[in-house]
Every structure is written in structure tokens, then in C-alpha cells.
Amino acid sequence: MSFEPKIVGFLCNWCSYTGADLAGTARIKYSPNIRSIRVMCSGRIEPTFIMKALYEGADGVLIAGCHPGDCHYQEGNYKALRRYRMLKKVLPDYGIDPGRIRLEWVAASEGEKFANVVDDFTEEIRNLGPLGIKEGLDEMMKDDVIPHHASGGEKGGDDNEA
Amino acid sequence: MKYTYYPGCSVSATANLYQESIDSVLPGLGIELEELDDWNCCGATAYMSVRELLSFAISARNLALAEKYHRDMVTPCSACYLVLNKTNRYCEEYPDIRKKVGQALEAGGLNYSGNIKVRHLLDVVVNDVEKEKIAGTVKKDLSALKVAPYYGCQIVRPEIGLDDPDDPQIMDELIRSVGATCVDYSMKTKCCGASLMGTDEKKALHLCKEILADAERNEAHCIITVCPLCQMNLDIYQSKVNSLFGTKFRIPVIYFTQLIGLAQGKSMKELGLGRLGVKISGEMKKIIEGA
Amino acid sequence: MSVRIGVYLCHCGANIAGKVDIDAVADFARGLENVTLVKDYKFMCSDPGQALIQKDLENKLVDRVVVASCSPLMHENTFRKTVERGGLNPYLFTMTNIREQCSWVHIDSDRTTEKAKDLVAASVRRAFLLEPLTKKEVPINPRTLVIGGGIAGIQAALDLAEAGKEVVLVEKEPSIGGHMAKFDKTFPTLDCSACILTPRMVSVGQHSNIELMSYAEVEDVGGYVGNFNIRVRKKARYVDSELCNGCGACWSKCPSSRVPRKGNVHEKLSLGPTTSIYMPFMQAVPAIPVIDRDTCLYFKNDSGACGICAKECERGAIKYDMTDEIVEFEVGNIIIAAGFKTFDPAKVKRYGYGRFDNVMTALEFEVMNCASGSTGGNILMADGSEPKSIGIVHCVGSRDSHYNEHCSRVCCMYSLKYAHLIKEKTDAEVYQFYIDMRCFGKGYEEFYDRLLSEDVRFVRGKVAEISKVPVTETEEGKLVVSVEDTLLGTVRRIPLDMVVLSTGLEGSETLPEIAKLCSVSVGKDGFLIEKHPKLGPVSTATDGVFVVGGCQSPKDIPDTVAQASAASSAVLSMITREKIEIEAATSEVDEDKCSGCKLCNTLCPYQAVKFDEEKEVSVVNEALCKGCGTCVAGCPSGAISAKHYEDRQIFAEIEGIFSGGL
């Protein structure tokens, strides 16, 4: 069986989550690899959320927010963009391919775009393989447990370090 | 400023007066041209409509050759400008074309990685040379000379983005910076008929007539062009226009580089102006000689 | 503390159950930690479905609720109320979207079921960590601010004032009336615009419940629903409104002009005096002139050389030393009626507007038709003669991907109106160049039919160019319209004396600024975004802020008036409630953790996070906080938490997704 990546999506409530809902209302089909978490604004998304998702076993993380200028909270998406760019730079230091995270602007009216983004990103992550493989972690940590698709970390983690 | 120069076929033959004026005027503006070694015909607009892929391949050969110079490539001809830019754009946007063109180039031991920016000579003169510098070389007062800028249909197509397709201004600007008076008229971007002159002369002459008539109606002393084919149609065929439509146009059609040369006080001979179809005479001659 | 989570799975008929194996998900959910009860039902949102949940709560079987059904955007509120009725804090409930983002969008049944399991597990983990929240109530100030004094703002203000509520109407121009005041006739009934508008304008001016601030602009909006703090700049008119009686002595003697003195007929088009001290039009409300500082000789000379108007004014109302005045006040709700502007056709260079005489905009033509205008309502060419032929070009700047994609809705109809007026007033031939005739309103199609029999030429096709290049003798000296007649299937050149460009409608210049002040978004089309295009057409994403008229989308007068009344009724229902609940899911600062770096103060778009100088920590004003969480993500000390979206809650969701049912 081919590798089916697991992708976590963080969607802002006003544009992207609504856009994803629209894909549903319009019955547009896309790959079932994504599991979305709703936040009020992409500005709420902390880099630690993404790190946590990767740590728990996500092979890719999608962040989606309102188009620039359309943010329901005026400029939360700009903050998200900054944090995303910062994280892109930092990820290689953790031995993680920066291609595993992606930021997209999806408007409430862009159901089709959301579906396309998910399909496209799923395909990209499929090509990258499971987290750790592309990064060469399997070789490095042959004897260690790679926390892939397995529960890791403390339950109900109270780790609030930002 | 140094550029790779792609002259195209016309300026080395029928339009050699264009080349003469280029040679005479550009050094004074600080523009240095180095001719592309071993260049070939771009295929012109005619070939493009017959064998598109071959046309891309032969013009891509020029682009591939130009890459070793690591500079923008400049052409004085609107058709070359259009075709080379189109080749660039299609190779970039369509992987399929890029692949086939690549194979053709490879057969000739060449490779094109897509890094050559093709520019029209007008673009370089107006946008790379400071206006003050051009104005500084002006020796003659041409303020009484009313010049109609004729852009033709090729250099301001929307996909190239050189200027506003409906109402371009860069040649207008140039006319003003050499101190002449710019004539605003409606036909400045309308087609002159181009190679239609060879196949359906009557229709092409009609198109030329409209351009000439609008320039005359707006009291232009002369028309300036940026393209050898436009110049030929409007100039050489002007007498045919007159005999077919009973008009009495006597409007000299000169290259923009010749206008710069005139403003710089260069002689008519030096600029190749003696070999025009419609000779410079009457009021225009007075203005040039008097200034 | 033991937590008892109830999971309620909805079949949604076959919408969910047709793709997701509900039994498998239910079995899976039963195995999840802290889940004490799992139920499924055909339609969970139906009354019996809700009763199921309510009863379990009343029987104290569960103390956390997870509903896996449609999108929370659809039914979160429904179930929050259900949970509340069952006696549980509504924030101890969470929803799992297994329809819009699961059963409806995937093909493979097994994998869709797997996804549904993961999502339910995530919600269960989240539910475990939910905290009860209390909604807060704030009082609503019964005063309302209306921004914009066109017909939209006038209607909204009058509705509210008639209901006995106070209104502050702010208009940036010297007079209210907006675009409608510039119209001669209104389509399709052809009743006189001034006749129907003027009485309303007068009512606004006289109403004891309306405070009119004309020639004024809103500079700042603070606060939140029910309690907005407004700052308005009243621009200096240089005329004392208390003393002026609008007699007109000032402008009748004013030696300077706002328009080119020797300008042609079209350049001088105006409804009021063209002098530097002027009234925009004779029925202006308030009927007080203003001085145009840019052209006034007194201000231009700086030496106070002129001063004629001051000498002429018997009441001494001219005050050259007047300065802008700032006023501050509070309101409970805001209605934005900021109107539209017309497209600038000079952008379409091939139509020659600004280059050719006798190519004019619809609004200029409108003013020319006005009986009280500078031509006395006569249709004249720039040189003062009467045109023999007029073309009307539709969709200029509308339905055009280069400029605006939207249809401006009113142009077809006003173009027909022009054709009728031209036929009535002149002997000119009239051409309509249209893409489609869109005559959708009451009596509109009938009006179109009527015009078809009034000898008006309709040419279906988009005009390519308007030029002055004659090809034949009949084209000499004329404007030549080149157009593809798509019904004849040929390109036509039509020589005309005059061309009217039916310019489309765009959001006004000041709209982005007003939108920003009121925290409302501007859409791609340049108009304000309403809360819901169908079901929330006048409210916005910001509570207490409403949009009406041309600033929300292009619309005609009937629709504008209807929308204005809708907004005033929405405001009235807010005011009548007297109190309003505000968002409970706000941010909160842990004072012990806060280092006082103030980073969050700058991140907040609502100025809700302020620094407490005494305690040296940042504090969130819950009434202002909209709960976006940007400050939470930005806090370097982890001192701010977002209620209902806490880090640990989101982490739990992530863990749930990967828990594989553990």
C-alpha cells in the first residue's frame, strides 16, 4: 500500500474554515488525509502548534487564513505570515524539511481552492515520504522510537512554553 | 551601458539608414552595443504563423547564443522584439514547448536557460538614459517641429507591458526631451498593415492612409517610427497611397534615432536622411536648417 | 475530578451515515478515555435529537458534550442553547465537523470513517479540558451614528428619529442629499428626484432627534457594540451657521470661480453657483454656503485682499478665521451609508474621455439635465449648440475584467432614462451600446419596452473605441464610435455628436478609511462586506456596525431605501434589548507570568490590551477583545491565554488526532 500521509490543518474560522465548509456544501472531493483544527484567526496559530503536530506524527501541516487585507481581525494573517516564515527558516535546524509546512490564503468563497490546496499539498507530502525518512532520521535513529503515528508527549500537555 | 545587439535582417538591408543613425547617435548617449555573434533571422511575424515551433526554435537560437554575454539583448526592430519576447514567454510558460525547443537547440550544441531579457532600443534609450542626459546632447532648437510618434501595433502589446497599450507615452516623452513638439493623435498604435503590403496591397495601403491622414489632420511635420517595416510602409508606399486615394501626403517618416540625431545637430547625410522615400522639404526643412 | 463526556453522533439522514460508518465511530468513541456515553441519532439538530442531549444532561449522565455532525458554523449556536437548557455551561460543549469537511468531500468510505474517528477523538480530548465561561452583558447606548447623508443615510436616520431615538448624521459634503440630489428624473417612473428627496432632506434638518453634522468627517471610532466613542472633525465652512440665513448675497458678488472662467459648457456644469463661496445646490440642507479655500481670493492672496463676501453679508456670518472643530460623543450603534463613487472613465483611454469634447460621464449628463443646473436642463454640446446624435455607452468600468468585474445594476436603467430625456428634449438620434439589457426591477422591463418604441437605436456590442478619425465624409468632425454589432455580426462605425459614458459604481474614496475605523472589511470588489450575503444583508462581522446603500454594493434607490429601513430596524431591535451579551472567549493575561514587555499592546488591532502602569503588566479589556488570539500567539512569556482556545486545548486536539483511539 502506498504511503498515506497524515496532515494537520489549522484553519481560521472566518475565511478558510468557511471556505473548507463551502467545498463540502459544493461536494468538491479532495483527499481525506487532512484533519483540520479550527482557530478564530490565523494570528492565533503559534509555531509551537505546528511543532506539536509534527512531534505527534503529522507528516505535513497546512496553515490557512484570510487573504491579505481580508482578515476578520484586520491583520492577524500578517502575523501568521511572519511566524510562518520564521518557522520555515528554523525547521531545517530540527532536521525537518521546510516543505512539510505550507501557508495558504483561502477565502470563504474559495471552496475549490481549498480542495486543490489539500490535494496538492497531500501529493507533495506523499512525495516527501513519512516525516523522518526524507530527513534521514530513520538512518540516524534506527534504534530509537520515531514518534510517527504514535502518541507521544505528555497527555493533556500543559506545556505552555512559547 | 553595454548591451548585446541583435540587429535583425532589416537594418542590414532595406533599413540601413536606421543602422546608420543608430551608429551615429548612441555613443553620445552612453549606450554601447556589441553585436551578437553568429545571429540568425528571428523568423519574423510571418514564420510564426506558419510553423510556430520552428519559429520558436530559430529565435531561441539567438537567445541561447546571447547567454554567454550576461547582458540584456537589444533590438531596433519591433517584429524581432515581439518574436524574441514571445519565444521567451512561451518557453517559460509551456514546459512542452520548452522541452522541444531545448531538443532542437541541443542538436546544435546549444542550451538556453531562459535568462535573456529582450528589449527594444526605444525602451533602452528612454528608460535607461536619464532624460537630462538626452536633453544635454541637444544642440538644435526643434520646438517648432511637430512630431507624430508612431508606435505601431507590436511594441505595446499588453503581454509585454512596456507601456499602456491604448495610449503609450514613452515616445511622446522622448520627443519632448529632445525639445520637439509632440502631436497627440488617435492612430499612434494602429497597424500599418505590416507584411500585408506584400499580399493584399490595397488593404494595407488603406491602413497606411488612415495613419497618414490623422497625422496630417493634427498638423504633424513628420512621423517617427521604431520599426523598419512600419517605416517602409508609411514612407515608400506613401506615393502609392496618394495615387490610390487621391491624397497629397508628403509626410517624411523617420526613425526615432534620426530625430535624436537631428536635435543633436548631426547632418542629414550622417543620419541617412537623404535616402528617405518622402524627402524632408518645406516647413520641416526650414525648421531643421534654421534651428 | 472525574469527567463524563457524552458523544452524540448525527447521521444527518444519509448525508453523514451514507459515507461514514456511524456504528464503527460509535464503538471507537466508547473506547475513548473519559467517554461515558455515546449516542447516535438520525437528525441531532431536530427537536427529538436535541431533547436526547438535554435529557442526559438533566439526568446528570454527562458533564461534557461532544456533538459530531455538521459544521459548527451551521449549528454550534443551536447546540450551545441545547446544552444551556440542559443546565450545563454552553462552553463545556464542542462540535466535530464530520459532514462539510468529512463525509461530503471524500470518496473512500473506510478512510472517511477513519478521519471521522480521528476528529471525534480530537474533540473528546478537547472537551476534557474545556472550562466554563460566563457571557458578559453590556448596556446599549440608544444613540446611533449614521455615516453618510445620501438617500440611504437620510432614510435610516429618519426611521430611527421617528421611533424616538437620537441620531447623529455625519456627512462629508456641505449638504446632505448625496448622489440623488444631482439627479433630474428617477427611473422608471420619471418622477422628479428633487421633488421626492427635498422633503426628506428638510425633515432631517428639522428633526429634533437628529443632530446633523454636515461638512464633517468621522476621525476615530473606539469602543465596542453598545458603547462606541466617536470623534468627528467638523471642517471649517468660514460661514457661521448660527448667523447665516442663506440669502445668497455673498455668492452673487463673489469675484472668483471654482471652475475655469472661460470653460466650455461642459466644464461649467453645476447645480449651484460656480463661485468660490457657494451652495452645492439650491435645496441644500443645511442651506448654508461654504468657502472653497483653494480658489477663494481672500485665502489665495494671504493678505486678505478680497473680503467682498464679508462686506456683503448683512449678518456678519462670514468668519475667515474659523477653524476645524473636533467633537466627541458616544453612540451604541453605527450605520455606514458612505455611498459610492462613479468609475473614472479617463482610465479607459480608448474612449477619449478628457481628450475629446462631448465625451461626457453619466453624472455630468445627469447634472446637465437638471432643470436647476447651469444649462437649465438643456442638452448642449461643449460649444453650446444642440447635438443631432447622441450615443450612450453601457458598462464603462463595469463587467470588465480590466476594471470592475461586477455589474453596477443601475446603468442600464439610467441609460434608458437618458434616451427618453434626449427624445423628449431634442431631435437627436439616440444610440444605446449595450452588452445585455438588465431591467430586473419593478416596472423596469416595461420601461425598456416603452423605449423600444420611442425610436431609440439599440446596438448590442461593447464599444471598442471612440475616435476622431474620420474615414468617410459623414464622419468629418464627429466622434466615431467603433463597435461590433453582435446581432448583425459586423463591425460598425457610427459617427455621433456626443457620447455619454454610463460609468459604473465603485465604493467611495473614503470607504477603506471608514471601514478600518469601524473594523469592517472591504471586499475584492471595493464594497463593504456584509455579515451574510443572503441572511445578514445589513449587519457586519463587527457587532453594532451596519452597512446600507451603495457602499455595500451598487443598488438603485428602491433597494437602497429598503436596505436603510432594514438597518434602522436592526438597530432598533438592538436598542430595545437595552443590553447585549459580548464574546466570552476573550484573551486573559496571567499577571504573574507577564513580564510587561508590551509586545501584545502593539499586536492587538482593537487596542484591547493596555499596559497597567501601576502593576507593570498588560491587561485585556474584555469588552474590546474580539478573541482573535493574536496576542496569545505573540506573547513571549506565555502569559496570555485565549479562553476556549487555550494552548493546552489545541494541543489536546492535536494529540487526539494521533491517538489512534487510545
Side-chain angles (χ1 to χ4, degrees):
Chain A
M1 201 181 84
S2 74
F3 160 63
E4 286 301 343
K6 235 179 185 182
I7 292 166
V8 172
F10 291 100
L11 313 184
C12 88
N13 180 61
W14 303 97
C15 293
S16 306
Y17 196 88
T18 317
D21 271 1
L22 182 68
T25 321
R27 311 293 201 274
I28 300 167
K29 305 291 182 226
Y30 57 89
S31 43
N33 303 52
I34 188 165
R35 278 100 179 93
S36 296
I37 290 174
R38 178 169 72 126
V39 288
M40 278 299 136
C41 176
S42 55
R44 171 71 186 95
I45 300 162
E46 297 182 26
T48 46
F49 292 1
I50 293 141
M51 294 310 285
K52 172 78 174 172
L54 293 169
Y55 175 75
E56 290 294 334
D59 301 299
V61 178
L62 175 70
I63 305 155
C66 310
H67 282 268
D70 287 354
C71 177
H72 181 76
Y73 303 103
Q74 295 174 17
E75 46 202 35
N77 50 357
Y78 294 122
K79 312 288 188 302
L81 177 65
R82 270 195 249 165
R83 288 166 189 150
Y84 168 76
R85 289 205 172 135
M86 186 267 292
L87 194 59
K88 273 269 201 196
K89 279 191 186 151
V90 173
L91 276 184
D93 294 346
Y94 287 83
I96 297 171
D97 191 314
R100 292 193 183 275
I101 65 171
R102 194 202 262 198
L103 174 74
E104 286 282 349
W105 308 130
V106 177
S109 55
E110 294 177 328
E112 195 171 344
K113 178 174 178 186
F114 180 78
N116 291 338
V117 163
V118 172
D119 275 345
D120 189 61
F121 189 48
T122 308
E123 209 39 50
E124 252 178 61
I125 299 299
R126 202 193 308 277
N127 291 334
L128 281 178
L131 177 67
I133 302 296
K134 166 83 192 295
E135 286 81 359
L137 283 182
D138 52 336
E139 277 305 305
M140 272 161 56
M141 305 171 64
K142 245 191 299 224
D143 307 320
D144 293 341
V145 179
I146 301 169
H148 180 64
H149 290 193
S151 175
E154 294 144 44
K155 292 277 172 324
D158 201 5
D159 28 356
N160 212 0
E161 72 276 7
Chain B
M1 288 168 291
K2 200 167 176 180
Y3 303 89
T4 308
Y5 185 52
Y6 178 81
C9 316
S10 303
V11 294
S12 25
T14 47
N16 56 6
L17 62 170
Y18 194 4
Q19 186 61 55
E20 282 165 32
S21 65
I22 290 170
D23 291 341
S24 158
V25 164
L26 291 199
L29 301 177
I31 297 174
E32 197 183 328
L33 301 177
E34 182 181 354
E35 189 168 327
L36 178 68
D37 190 33
D38 196 29
W39 61 269
N40 57 271
C41 171
C42 70
T45 47
Y47 198 32
M48 185 68 83
S49 47
V50 186
R51 290 264 192 283
E52 197 181 56
L53 189 64
L54 288 179
S55 175
F56 284 140
I58 61 169
S59 59
R61 180 175 178 275
N62 296 307
L63 295 168
L65 288 172
E67 264 184 336
K68 68 166 182 264
Y69 297 85
H70 305 290
R71 288 192 293 255
D72 287 357
M73 185 156 80
V74 174
T75 172
C77 167
S78 298
C80 299
Y81 175 67
L82 186 75
V83 169
L84 290 167
N85 261 308
K86 188 172 174 182
T87 305
N88 242 345
R89 204 175 68 252
Y90 273 60
C91 284
E92 194 188 323
E93 283 175 19
Y94 302 96
D96 187 43
I97 293 177
R98 182 168 61 235
K99 202 174 131 200
K100 286 181 183 156
V101 168
Q103 285 166 350
L105 291 175
E106 210 184 314
L110 287 168
N111 168 52
Y112 179 50
S113 46
N115 291 323
I116 292 298
K117 197 172 171 201
V118 181
R119 302 177 62 191
H120 195 284
L121 187 61
L122 175 71
D123 174 20
V124 168
V125 169
V126 176
N127 293 322
D128 289 8
V129 183
E130 296 94 31
K131 272 197 197 73
E132 297 74 34
K133 185 159 188 179
I134 300 179
T137 65
V138 172
K139 296 208 179 85
K140 274 195 177 180
D141 176 16
L142 296 182
S143 55
L145 187 68
K146 293 181 193 162
V147 182
Y150 178 63
Y151 291 80
C153 62
Q154 295 183 319
I155 61 167
V156 288
R157 298 214 179 157
E159 67 271 13
I160 297 179
L162 178 60
D163 204 342
D164 187 303
D166 283 334
D167 187 19
Q169 289 296 326
I170 68 168
M171 222 189 311
D172 298 44
E173 248 172 59
L174 180 75
I175 292 170
R176 285 189 280 268
S177 55
V178 299
T181 302
C182 181
V183 170
D184 186 24
Y185 69 124
S186 295
M187 301 296 287
K188 63 184 180 185
T189 59
K190 294 290 171 343
C191 178
C192 67
S195 42
L196 195 64
M197 201 60 92
T199 48
D200 191 341
E201 193 177 277
K202 227 171 159 182
K203 282 209 175 73
L205 288 174
H206 181 85
L207 293 171
C208 286
K209 185 201 89 180
E210 297 307 333
I211 296 163
L212 292 165
D214 199 34
E216 191 179 72
R217 196 176 306 116
N218 288 283
E219 298 168 351
H221 291 123
C222 67
I223 292 173
I224 61 167
T225 69
V226 294
C227 169
L229 191 52
C230 300
Q231 199 275 341
M232 182 159 82
N233 283 353
L234 292 173
D235 180 36
I236 307 296
Y237 286 88
Q238 208 172 108
S239 57
K240 272 204 172 175
V241 168
N242 285 336
S243 59
L244 183 66
F245 297 102
T247 48
K248 291 196 175 106
F249 301 126
R250 286 209 54 76
I251 308 171
V253 181
I254 68 175
Y255 291 102
F256 78 102
T257 41
Q258 292 175 317
L259 176 72
I260 301 174
L262 283 174
Q264 289 175 342
K266 300 214 162 24
S267 72
M268 304 259 277
K269 187 159 186 273
E270 206 177 338
L271 298 166
L273 282 168
R275 301 204 299 283
L276 291 173
V278 177
K279 299 283 181 271
I280 293 176
S281 60
E283 206 171 338
M284 180 172 178
K285 195 166 183 195
K286 257 187 247 159
I287 293 167
I288 294 169
E289 284 172 354
Chain C
M1 184 189 74
S2 91
V3 167
R4 287 160 294 148
I5 302 174
V7 176
Y8 297 87
L9 302 168
C10 177
H11 295 216
C12 196
N15 282 309
I16 295 170
K19 184 68 80 181
V20 174
D21 181 347
I22 296 284
D23 290 341
V25 179
D27 282 345
F28 167 84
R30 276 185 199 99
L32 294 171
E33 211 174 336
N34 300 311
V35 171
T36 53
L37 182 152
V38 177
K39 283 186 177 164
D40 60 281
Y41 190 70
K42 202 161 243 184
F43 290 104
M44 208 47 99
C45 62
S46 66
D47 282 350
Q50 291 189 54
L52 216 65
I53 302 171
Q54 196 178 328
K55 231 162 118 198
D56 290 346
L57 285 167
E58 281 161 3
N59 294 334
K60 309 278 178 215
L61 295 176
V62 294
D63 55 13
R64 295 282 194 284
V65 173
V66 172
V67 176
S69 57
C70 51
S71 168
L73 302 182
M74 181 100 191
H75 273 315
E76 191 172 52
N77 265 332
T78 314
F79 292 116
R80 269 191 184 164
K81 282 182 191 143
T82 314
V83 169
E84 212 168 2
R85 282 199 301 275
L88 189 70
N89 184 288
Y91 288 89
L92 295 178
F93 144 77
T94 191
M95 211 166 157
T96 317
N97 183 347
I98 56 167
R99 192 179 76 169
E100 280 85 346
Q101 298 188 25
C102 194
S103 71
W104 274 352
V105 286
H106 306 315
I107 298 164
D108 184 86
S109 196
D110 291 343
R111 296 188 61 199
T112 312
T113 304
E114 282 313 303
K115 177 169 176 177
K117 285 182 190 170
D118 285 349
L119 293 174
V120 168
S123 291
V124 167
R125 293 259 181 139
R126 171 178 165 79
F128 179 79
L129 293 170
L130 287 174
E131 300 275 354
L133 299 177
T134 337
K135 284 197 171 182
K136 290 190 181 59
E137 277 191 335
V138 294
I140 290 187
N141 187 321
R143 238 170 165 217
T144 304
L145 167 69
V146 176
I147 304 175
I151 182 59
I154 289 174
Q155 180 70 28
L158 282 176
D159 280 354
L160 290 166
E162 286 297 308
K165 306 296 174 195
E166 281 181 35
V167 178
V168 183
L169 178 61
V170 177
E171 166 59 51
K172 72 175 189 312
E173 298 297 328
S175 168
I176 56 168
H179 281 97
M180 192 176 166
K182 295 177 184 161
F183 301 163
D184 177 41
K185 298 271 188 334
T186 56
F187 61 76
T189 46
L190 297 172
D191 41 5
C192 145
S193 185
C195 312
I196 54 179
L197 180 67
T198 311
R200 303 247 168 153
M201 288 168 57
V202 172
S203 303
V204 168
Q206 292 175 343
H207 210 293
S208 58
N209 281 336
I210 299 178
E211 186 180 345
L212 174 59
M213 298 184 186
S214 63
Y215 211 42
E217 280 177 58
V218 176
E219 277 201 333
D220 192 41
V221 176
Y224 48 91
V225 55
N227 303 273
F228 291 108
N229 305 306
I230 312 294
R231 192 173 73 227
V232 169
R233 175 181 293 268
K234 289 173 145 179
K235 293 175 278 187
R237 298 179 95 103
Y238 307 107
V239 178
D240 189 327
S241 50
E242 297 295 320
L243 295 173
C244 174
N245 62 358
C247 70
C250 51
W251 68 71
S252 63
K253 290 282 161 52
C254 176
S256 67
S257 174
R258 285 182 297 130
V259 297
R261 199 158 282 273
K262 281 181 187 159
N264 66 38
V265 172
H266 293 171
E267 281 169 347
K268 281 194 293 194
L269 287 173
S270 170
L271 290 175
T274 53
T275 44
S276 289
I277 183 164
Y278 70 103
M279 281 238 275
F281 50 96
M282 285 308 136
Q283 308 89 331
V285 172
I288 297 163
V290 347
I291 293 179
D292 176 44
R293 237 191 119 112
D294 295 337
T295 55
C296 171
L297 291 176
Y298 182 92
F299 289 107
K300 246 181 162 174
N301 293 341
D302 224 26
S303 53
C306 179
I308 291 176
C309 51
K311 279 173 219 137
E312 288 298 322
C313 182
E314 285 176 2
R315 303 173 64 104
I318 310 290
K319 297 272 162 69
Y320 296 118
D321 57 352
M322 205 179 245
T323 49
D324 291 1
E325 187 192 343
I326 306 291
V327 279
E328 293 187 7
F329 54 92
E330 286 175 8
V331 297
N333 291 282
I334 300 171
I335 296 178
I336 305 176
F340 60 89
K341 72 169 192 291
T342 49
F343 174 76
D344 172 16
K347 285 185 199 160
V348 193
K349 297 213 170 109
R350 54 185 194 282
Y351 286 176
Y353 178 75
R355 286 193 291 137
F356 303 145
D357 278 347
N358 298 318
V359 176
M360 57 196 313
T361 67
L363 210 52
E364 288 165 346
F365 192 71
E366 193 78 62
V367 169
M368 183 154 73
N369 270 286
C370 237
S372 55
S374 47
T375 63
N378 290 315
I379 298 169
L380 302 174
M381 300 214 282
D383 62 6
S385 63
E386 197 177 271
K388 298 267 179 306
S389 53
I390 302 178
I392 300 169
V393 180
H394 291 222
C395 299
V396 178
S398 308
R399 303 184 68 194
D400 184 332
S401 56
H402 293 104
Y403 309 104
N404 293 305
E405 283 183 40
H406 65 258
C407 164
S408 294
R409 287 179 101 240
V410 293
C411 326
C412 281
M413 290 310 296
Y414 74 59
S415 299
L416 288 176
K417 176 185 79 182
Y418 291 163
H420 177 82
L421 293 176
I422 295 165
K423 284 287 170 195
E424 203 174 70
K425 295 179 180 183
T426 71
D427 296 324
E429 255 190 301
V430 184
Y431 283 86
Q432 298 264 0
F433 302 100
Y434 68 98
I435 306 178
D436 298 292
M437 289 304 300
R438 296 188 164 175
C439 313
F440 54 88
K442 186 174 181 177
Y444 291 8
E445 185 69 20
E446 293 91 323
F447 189 62
Y448 175 34
D449 272 347
R450 176 175 163 189
L451 264 291
L452 286 174
S453 58
E454 284 187 11
D455 197 22
V456 176
R457 317 271 155 100
F458 287 85
V459 178
R460 184 176 179 276
K462 197 162 165 80
V463 170
E465 188 182 37
I466 297 165
S467 74
K468 274 193 142 173
V469 182
V471 173
T472 61
E473 251 170 54
T474 51
E475 290 178 4
E476 288 293 342
K478 303 266 186 180
L479 294 162
V480 182
V481 171
S482 309
V483 60
E484 183 189 4
D485 189 325
T486 57
L487 296 181
L488 289 182
T490 177
V491 174
R492 294 173 70 181
R493 291 172 60 86
I494 300 174
L496 298 164
D497 285 340
M498 187 192 268
V499 175
V500 180
L501 303 176
S502 295
T503 44
L505 272 44
E506 298 177 330
S508 65
E509 293 95 343
T510 50
L511 207 50
E513 185 54 32
I514 294 171
K516 206 171 163 207
L517 287 175
C518 301
S519 303
V520 174
S521 309
V522 180
K524 251 187 269 173
D525 55 4
F527 296 99
L528 298 182
I529 299 177
E530 65 285 351
K531 191 167 196 173
H532 190 282
K534 294 180 186 74
L535 302 176
V538 295
S539 27
T540 65
T542 303
D543 291 336
V545 177
F546 300 85
V547 287
V548 299
C551 64
Q552 184 257 340
S553 77
K555 52 178 71 69
D556 54 14
I557 297 167
D559 284 5
T560 300
V561 170
Q563 205 185 20
S565 289
S568 50
S569 118
V571 168
L572 278 177
S573 91
M574 295 276 276
I575 298 173
T576 322
R577 254 186 272 165
E578 291 179 346
K579 282 189 177 132
I580 186 169
E581 282 181 343
I582 55 166
E583 185 53 56
T586 56
S587 292
E588 191 176 41
V589 178
D590 181 338
E591 294 181 4
D592 291 340
K593 282 189 186 169
C594 176
S595 69
C597 74
K598 300 187 196 174
L599 187 66
C600 49
N601 295 208
T602 56
L603 283 175
C604 180
Y606 304 100
Q607 287 86 45
V609 201
K610 287 265 156 62
F611 191 68
D612 184 330
E613 297 289 348
E614 224 165 81
K615 290 188 188 162
E616 297 192 326
V617 292
S618 290
V619 209
V620 176
N621 179 342
E622 290 192 355
L624 290 178
C625 177
K626 306 264 191 273
C628 67
T630 300
C631 59
V632 186
C635 178
S637 319
I640 316 182
S641 58
K643 289 187 220 165
H644 212 52
Y645 291 93
E646 292 172 32
D647 284 2
R648 60 190 194 120
Q649 291 166 346
I650 289 169
F651 282 179
E653 270 191 76
I654 299 170
E655 285 164 12
I657 289 173
F658 296 99
S659 64
L662 295 173

